[in-house]
Amino acid sequence: MLLARSNKSASAIRGLLGVVALALLLASGTLRAECGCLWEGSFSDVQASADLIIAAEVLQIKGNAVDVAIEEKLSGNSYLDDVRVWMETKDYCRPPAEDFPVGSRWILALKRITEVPSGGFDPSTPNQSFGRLDDYYLSSCGGYWLTYNGEVVTGNLVNAPRWARDPDMTPVFMDVIRAFLRGETDSEALLEASREDPAMMELFLDTKAFLRGDEDIGRQ
């Protein structure tokens, strides 16, 4: 009887250790990378390799694709007002489409799809695919996207930790991003802007909102 209980206890312990080991393995993989690709750098590093950089608002999500309305073309050429951006499916190193809800606004550094690999399109699942020729895709291997809220931007902008999508930083004015992409300023200016006093930034934005009549600043 004692031997049977001992064997059951040992088996239970081994099972628990197996679950813990699996959890640690999965966690280590998540921390190492999102899909196995190497980290290419923050937005300031990867923007040069993009075919198109836009300020855009998400119109709809369809399968693993996101349709966005272009608010402003920051770099590269596109003759369309709306573009389709293909996101994560299979083992493609891209962010999930669900991370970009309808109505959200972003700065996106996109790469154009110039060829579709074998197996990249399945007629039985057309909304889950590598993407169509001349559409765009968004890589998750660097700071290829930034959150765009009002007139400021946040995200893995410059010299931020690897895989950090929402690092601790002061929001940076969109005009600073525009100047950087035009080559009128450098990454050091971006870094300095991301480290400015958050209280001063909040005061400035509150003042702008008051002047626009968005808020009754100072009223009880």
Side-chain angles (χ1 to χ4, degrees):
M1 181 67 69
L2 291 176
L3 180 60
R5 289 181 179 176
S6 177
N7 288 338
K8 288 182 179 180
S9 298
S11 177
I13 292 173
R14 285 195 296 270
L16 180 60
L17 289 175
V19 171
V20 172
L22 178 59
L24 290 174
L25 179 60
L26 293 174
S28 65
T30 302
L31 291 173
R32 182 175 59 253
E34 296 182 350
C35 66
C37 66
L38 297 177
W39 180 253
E40 297 173 13
S42 297
F43 177 85
S44 59
D45 301 311
V46 302
Q47 52 81 28
S49 66
D51 295 310
L52 179 68
I53 302 177
I54 56 175
E57 179 179 347
V58 176
L59 297 175
Q60 69 170 345
I61 300 174
K62 192 170 184 179
N64 70 306
V66 172
D67 290 334
V68 301
I70 299 176
E71 296 183 3
E72 183 178 355
K73 297 169 188 174
L74 300 168
S75 179
N77 295 314
S78 174
Y79 301 103
L80 302 173
D81 295 326
D82 304 341
V83 295
R84 176 159 290 182
V85 182
W86 293 85
M87 303 291 191
E88 179 186 54
T89 190
K90 297 185 178 180
D91 60 349
Y92 304 141
C93 292
R94 306 171 186 174
E98 293 73 22
D99 287 357
F100 300 80
V102 173
S104 59
R105 299 168 69 233
W106 306 86
I107 305 301
L108 303 174
L110 304 172
K111 295 187 178 182
R112 191 165 65 89
I113 297 175
T114 56
E115 60 179 325
V116 178
S118 176
F121 179 78
D122 184 346
S124 63
T125 57
N127 292 330
Q128 291 289 334
S129 100
F130 180 88
R132 306 176 304 190
L133 285 177
D134 295 324
D135 280 348
Y136 294 87
Y137 72 90
L138 185 65
S139 172
S140 64
C141 301
Y144 284 94
W145 68 92
L146 304 168
T147 302
Y148 187 20
N149 186 14
E151 55 189 310
V152 295
V153 171
T154 57
N156 201 306
L157 176 62
V158 56
N159 199 29
R162 296 182 179 187
W163 310 109
R165 299 306 183 186
D166 189 22
D168 186 17
M169 63 173 288
T170 301
V172 173
F173 284 114
M174 187 60 189
D175 281 343
V176 179
I177 307 297
R178 294 187 183 100
F180 173 77
L181 293 173
R182 291 195 299 261
E184 298 170 0
T185 189
D186 57 18
S187 58
E188 288 300 319
L190 289 183
L191 186 60
E192 181 178 355
S194 71
R195 292 175 173 173
E196 288 180 353
D197 184 358
M200 292 299 295
M201 170 66 75
E202 184 177 1
L203 177 62
F204 180 85
L205 293 177
D206 284 346
T207 302
K208 294 281 285 188
F210 174 75
L211 293 175
R212 290 196 308 267
D214 293 349
E215 299 180 48
D216 292 327
I217 304 297
R219 296 184 183 178
Q220 298 296 327

